[in-house]
Amino acid sequence: MVAARVPGQVMHVLVDDNNRVHKGDLLVELDKKPYQVQVDIAQAAVDVANADVVSAQAAVHGFEGQTRSLRFLLEHAIEDVDNQVAQLRSKVAVLSSKKRS
């Protein structure tokens, strides 16, 4: 009994009628084009996925940079507020001491 493992169109028959063959002998060659098209489509999908990964990594690096910049701005804003609070306390202390005198 002879059967193909995969479906496909036979391109070349490699044996003649009544030839003696052994298990594992190559009897026919199937057309590779449909399978190559499937491989090419799958490879294109892999390439797109890899490009998406690179793009996502670049976006993450950008977000990290923005986050560092915003954190820096926040820390300086907190320092400014702390300085203003200290100045107000100082002015309140001066006013309080003037009222006592």
Side-chain angles (χ1 to χ4, degrees), residues 21-33:
V21 295
H22 298 90
K23 183 177 180 178
D25 286 351
L26 189 59
L27 306 179
V28 296
E29 288 183 359
L30 300 179
D31 185 6
K32 297 177 184 179
K33 289 179 187 174

Side-chain angles (χ1 to χ4, degrees), residues 44-54:
V46 168
D47 293 344
V48 167
N50 285 333
D52 289 345
V53 167
V54 170

Side-chain angles (χ1 to χ4, degrees), residues 48-68:
V48 167
N50 285 333
D52 289 345
V53 167
V54 170
S55 176
Q57 288 172 336
V60 166
H61 289 298
F63 291 138
E64 287 174 344
Q66 287 176 342
T67 302
R68 280 191 294 273

Side-chain angles (χ1 to χ4, degrees), residues 87-101:
Q87 287 176 354
L88 285 173
R89 286 184 178 154
S90 173
K91 289 179 182 180
V92 166
V94 168
L95 285 174
S96 293
S97 70
K98 285 183 180 180
K99 283 184 181 180
R100 288 184 206 155
S101 330

